[in-house]
Amino acid sequence: MKRVIGLFYKKRVRISIALICCSVFFIFFRMISSDSTHHIAIDQSIMNNRFVKNHLLEKEILIEKNNIDSNNKLINLITPTKKVNLNERIIKFDAKKQFQFNKNIPFIPNRINEFQINDRNQLNPNQNQNNMNFLAKLERIVHIDLKGAPPRPHYFKQFIPFIKQFGATGILLEYEDMFPFEGTLAEARHGNAYSADDVNMIKNLAKENGLKIIPLVQTYGHLEWLLKIKKFAHLREVSEYPQVITPCLEESYRVIFEMLDQVIKYHSDSSEFHVGCDEVYYKLAHEKCATLPDSNDFAQVFLRHLVKIASYVRSKIPNVKVIFWDDMMHGMEEATLMQFKNEIEKLQLQPMMWGYMENVESYFQPDLYVKYGNVFGKIWIASAYKGASGELATITSIQHHYLNHISWIDVMREKISNKILQFIGVAITGWSRYDHFLTLCDILPQAIPSLIFNLQVMQYGPLNDQKKQEISKMLGCSGQIPWDGVVNYPVKCNFPGHEVYEAMLPLQSILQGLKSDMAFAENYVSPMNLEYAYLHKKRTSEVLERVRYTYTSMVDFKDRFIEACSTMYWPDVANEWLLVYFIPQFDPLFNMLERVKNLSSQKYWSPRPLPITLKQYPKYF
């Protein structure tokens, strides 16, 4: 009887265990399935909103505008109610799309980055190859910003053939004060400015490698390199700030035309010429502006200024296409732009629409593209491979700039497929500083991998892992290239400027060690201890034992960095970079060690209290 009962319970236990296992497996399977479905739903939601809803809204706007403007002469006949409804739809659209890309929302940000970098091709492998033919027709222009860390001329002998190898079709050369200006402009020239022979050498190298050069001369904003000089200070829009030249003085045009004349002398065969005109921070503030027609209408003044500059350039280089930055037109009415339609067509004015964020789609108002399509028909775009992720960036985040390029590709594909406008090419910009007065941001050699990856993106579309590995090999790199700005040292490469690139990589690790060491040192060697020579000698010796290695590492880094920079830069570049990014961390360590060394022979100390006095601080600044 007992045996029968025992067998019954054993069998029951086995059945129970089996049921429990099945239940656990079923729940686990449902969780995985649900999570996978959730991820796919998010990805599809992103795709739908970015590619479908976006262009449907723009198509609706386009239809409404075309109904009004059947003769290509926009008349402001939209009723106030219709305008409000249209704006409300745009605002709601932007709010909905912005929610999906809000980095404060948990879970979604990481998934979006993963989707955009790794999974974008895999949602629909065939779609990535379709509708990409437009990329082959694009100009791919590499921007060189010489207002910060300008390379010595010989560097271009390596750099120009190198970028040609990876698909560049031209160079957007922003000289600023590095151009060999003469005469009235010589006073504003950089001390290391290129010579006439240097400019001709760069130009000939580009021609030999089949690359066009597009000169960039700022003619409105970003003229601080010139207006900082006392001789030209009276031409400032606002006397206190040297960034913007006033269009309200005829003398301003004499100076601008002199700049243009000198640059055109070397680039008279250019097919395009860029006249800047972005970030005009100060508008019509000069006292003479009150005498201008439409003195309170910046749009009219800006467009007349642009037409005047473009007319002058074309008087010197007939048939040249005049490019300008687009940002000052964002808020202009289409009707205002249409007033200049004849001049735009006659002068072949071409806006360059710049956006350096990871999600370009969500940044611009949808009807901006429609407006540009109606007014210009074709535009340039500007992405970034460096200098667009912070004024104090040191290690370039390839990931950030890769997402920027992928986003621009999505925008172009969508606008082209909906016949909203066409794209001439892309300027892949690399900013050296955000302003002539500001510090260096990520310098050129550090950003070469980012430039090359993104040149390839603009030639072939999104890169799979195999393509990324091929590019890394072509860069001559062994080790993992820091894709997201986090360095897995060491990395060895063999591209132009690799010496500087490799010298910079150890800094992250060194500074992390320094932070830890200084936190330990502050426990026992505080400013009070050093100021009043009141040290705990045993603890101080422990501090010294710990920080000496870090100090040696930092000195070695400084020396290697200076040596590496000497291969392509003048000495001021390494000195400025170190002063901004290295010396503020290094000096406290050096000062502490120097003071401790001076106190090392101390054997006797005064009784407390210490004669501590505080600095007198003003109540207000």
Side-chain angles (χ1 to χ4, degrees):
M1 186 67 182
K2 287 181 180 179
R3 186 177 180 185
V4 172
I5 293 171
L7 287 171
F8 172 79
Y9 278 107
K10 281 183 182 179
K11 187 174 182 180
R12 189 173 181 180
V13 168
R14 288 172 185 159
I15 293 170
S16 299
I17 291 171
L19 288 173
I20 291 169
C21 291
C22 290
S23 300
V24 170
F25 177 79
F26 178 76
I27 292 169
F28 181 69
F29 177 80
R30 285 297 302 270
M31 287 175 65
I32 293 175
S33 176
S34 174
D35 189 54
S36 175
T37 304
H38 183 53
H39 285 185
I40 293 170
I42 288 174
D43 288 344
Q44 289 174 341
S45 173
I46 293 168
M47 294 285 285
N48 289 338
N49 277 282
R50 292 201 314 190
F51 305 133
V52 180
K53 293 184 179 179
N54 193 8
H55 78 244
L56 286 178
L57 176 65
E58 288 178 338
K59 189 173 183 180
E60 184 179 351
I61 294 168
L62 183 62
I63 291 169
E64 291 191 31
K65 286 184 177 288
N66 285 343
N67 288 338
I68 297 163
D69 186 23
S70 58
N71 296 318
N72 202 29
K73 293 181 180 178
L74 186 66
I75 304 170
N76 193 16
L77 295 178
I78 303 178
T79 64
T81 304
K82 200 170 185 181
K83 277 188 175 181
V84 169
N85 291 338
L86 191 60
N87 288 332
E88 282 180 354
R89 290 204 304 277
I90 292 170
I91 291 167
K92 287 179 181 178
F93 168 80
D94 282 344
K96 186 172 184 179
K97 188 160 61 171
Q98 189 64 38
F99 172 82
Q100 293 173 336
F101 294 95
N102 187 337
K103 293 188 177 181
N104 294 322
I105 300 174
F107 174 73
I108 290 182
N110 291 335
R111 184 61 189 164
I112 286 174
N113 284 338
E114 181 186 344
F115 160 72
Q116 289 177 309
I117 296 172
N118 299 322
D119 298 342
R120 196 161 207 149
N121 309 351
Q122 298 173 25
L123 287 175
N124 186 349
N126 297 322
Q127 183 183 14
N128 187 44
Q129 301 305 321
N130 296 333
N131 303 320
M132 284 292 182
N133 293 336
F134 69 93
L135 290 179
K137 302 173 185 177
L138 284 181
E139 295 274 14
R140 291 177 294 277
I141 309 297
V142 175
H143 172 240
I144 305 296
D145 178 21
L146 297 176
K147 67 172 169 285
R152 288 177 182 265
H154 73 264
Y155 179 74
F156 287 96
K157 294 178 181 179
Q158 298 174 281
F159 181 75
I160 288 176
F162 179 73
I163 61 173
K164 171 66 176 179
Q165 177 188 356
F166 287 94
T169 64
I171 298 171
L172 179 61
L173 197 54
E174 185 165 1
Y175 286 107
E176 207 177 66
D177 57 351
M178 286 299 293
F179 188 82
F181 287 113
E182 300 174 336
T184 59
L185 302 173
E187 190 177 339
R189 190 174 60 201
H190 194 292
N192 295 324
Y194 295 155
S195 68
D197 288 342
D198 295 333
V199 173
N200 284 325
M201 181 267 290
I202 294 168
K203 182 181 165 185
N204 291 334
L205 275 170
K207 187 175 182 179
E208 290 168 8
N209 285 275
L211 299 182
K212 64 170 64 178
I213 285 187
I214 303 175
L216 195 165
V217 179
Q218 287 286 4
T219 57
Y220 202 166
H222 282 297
L223 276 171
E224 58 270 17
W225 70 269
L226 178 74
L227 299 177
K228 70 181 181 183
I229 304 298
K230 185 177 181 180
K231 178 179 180 179
F232 303 105
H234 63 289
L235 302 179
R236 299 171 185 173
E237 186 71 88
V238 175
S239 61
E240 189 176 352
Y241 306 116
Q243 274 72 24
V244 178
I245 198 167
T246 181
C248 305
L249 291 173
E250 196 57 37
E251 187 182 350
S252 294
Y253 290 100
R254 287 198 292 272
V255 172
I256 292 171
F257 293 164
E258 179 63 24
M259 279 194 301
L260 292 170
D261 281 342
Q262 294 196 31
V263 175
I264 287 170
K265 177 183 175 182
Y266 291 86
H267 294 284
S268 58
D269 58 347
S270 293
S271 55
E272 290 90 9
F273 200 101
H274 201 307
V275 296
C277 291
D278 63 318
E279 296 187 335
V280 181
Y281 295 131
Y282 314 109
K283 305 177 179 73
L284 307 179
H286 195 281
E287 59 182 9
K288 291 293 185 181
C289 293
T291 64
L292 289 182
D294 301 311
S295 59
N296 294 320
D297 190 341
F298 174 73
Q300 290 286 336
V301 174
F302 176 86
L303 291 169
R304 282 202 301 270
H305 174 81
L306 181 59
V307 165
K308 189 170 185 175
I309 297 297
S311 297
Y312 188 82
V313 172
R314 283 178 62 88
S315 73
K316 301 292 181 175
I317 316 177
N319 300 319
V320 73
K321 298 173 180 66
V322 180
I323 304 171
F324 64 98
W325 299 117
D326 84 301
D327 54 300
M328 302 315 299
M329 295 195 314
H330 287 185
M332 293 183 188
E333 294 289 337
E334 187 173 320
T336 302
L337 294 173
M338 282 295 188
Q339 293 175 21
F340 292 82
K341 180 77 171 175
N342 289 337
E343 289 90 342
I344 288 169
E345 292 177 349
K346 179 182 176 182
L347 299 172
Q348 297 193 62
L349 279 166
Q350 299 178 341
M352 184 171 278
M353 188 176 182
W354 58 276
Y356 311 139
M357 62 295 301
E358 292 182 4
N359 295 294
V360 177
E361 304 97 314
S362 63
Y363 183 75
F364 298 107
Q365 288 284 6
D367 63 343
L368 183 62
Y369 301 99
V370 176
K371 178 169 70 176
Y372 288 171
N374 291 340
V375 176
F376 298 100
K378 295 181 179 180
I379 69 168
W380 293 79
I381 64 165
S383 58
Y385 68 91
K386 79 178 188 77
S389 54
E391 289 91 336
L392 297 177
T394 53
I395 304 299
T396 304
S397 172
I398 302 174
Q399 172 177 307
H400 169 75
H401 298 296
Y402 178 82
L403 292 178
N404 172 238
H405 287 82
I406 293 296
S407 185
W408 268 123
I409 288 173
D410 293 339
V411 167
M412 289 189 288
R413 181 169 53 192
E414 179 189 334
K415 308 313 172 203
I416 291 170
S417 65
N418 287 290
K419 300 182 179 179
I420 292 172
L421 79 168
Q422 295 295 311
F423 298 89
I424 303 161
V426 53
I428 306 177
T429 64
W431 302 100
S432 298
R433 11 174 147 255
Y434 282 32
D435 181 281
H436 182 81
F437 286 96
L438 298 181
T439 60
L440 292 171
C441 46
D442 33 351
I443 57 179
L444 179 59
Q446 220 299 307
I448 291 291
S450 176
L451 169 61
I452 299 309
F453 275 109
N454 289 305
L455 264 173
Q456 294 283 278
V457 168
M458 280 300 179
Q459 189 170 10
Y460 301 112
L463 306 175
N464 57 32
D465 289 341
Q466 181 181 351
K467 186 65 178 175
K468 290 177 187 177
Q469 290 171 4
E470 289 175 7
I471 295 170
S472 295
K473 289 180 181 178
M474 293 175 75
L475 288 168
C477 293
S478 62
Q480 185 176 348
I481 294 176
W483 183 264
D484 58 357
V486 178
V487 178
N488 294 311
Y489 181 76
V491 179
K492 295 288 185 182
C493 297
N494 193 30
F495 54 77
H498 69 92
E499 299 92 344
V500 180
Y501 177 81
E502 293 166 12
M504 292 178 68
L505 292 181
L507 185 60
Q508 278 187 4
S509 176
I510 291 171
L511 292 182
Q512 288 172 0
L514 174 67
K515 184 178 180 180
S516 175
D517 289 349
M518 292 301 285
F520 175 76
E522 286 170 3
N523 293 324
Y524 309 111
V525 188
S526 70
M528 184 277 292
N529 293 121
L530 295 173
E531 179 70 22
Y532 294 98
Y534 224 74
L535 293 172
H536 188 299
K537 296 196 74 170
K538 175 67 167 61
R539 290 297 193 184
T540 301
S541 66
E542 293 171 5
V543 169
L544 291 176
E545 186 68 25
R546 179 161 174 171
V547 302
R548 277 178 177 140
Y549 175 78
T550 298
Y551 176 82
T552 301
S553 297
M554 296 190 78
V555 171
D556 288 344
F557 170 85
K558 176 179 67 68
D559 294 343
R560 283 198 303 271
F561 181 75
I562 291 172
E563 182 181 359
C565 284
S566 69
T567 62
M568 61 175 290
Y569 288 127
W570 285 280
D572 65 297
V573 172
N575 291 342
E576 181 183 343
W577 193 93
L578 289 168
L579 182 62
V580 174
Y581 297 105
F582 180 79
I583 299 300
Q585 285 76 32
F586 181 63
D587 263 357
L589 174 62
F590 170 77
N591 293 336
M592 181 191 73
L593 290 173
E594 186 177 48
R595 185 77 175 124
V596 168
K597 181 180 178 181
N598 293 337
L599 297 173
S600 60
S601 61
Q602 185 178 4
K603 295 182 179 180
Y604 309 105
W605 295 265
S606 303
R608 287 186 181 273
L610 301 178
I612 296 174
T613 58
L614 298 179
K615 186 193 305 182
Q616 294 300 308
Y617 298 94
K619 189 171 184 180
Y620 304 106
F621 264 107

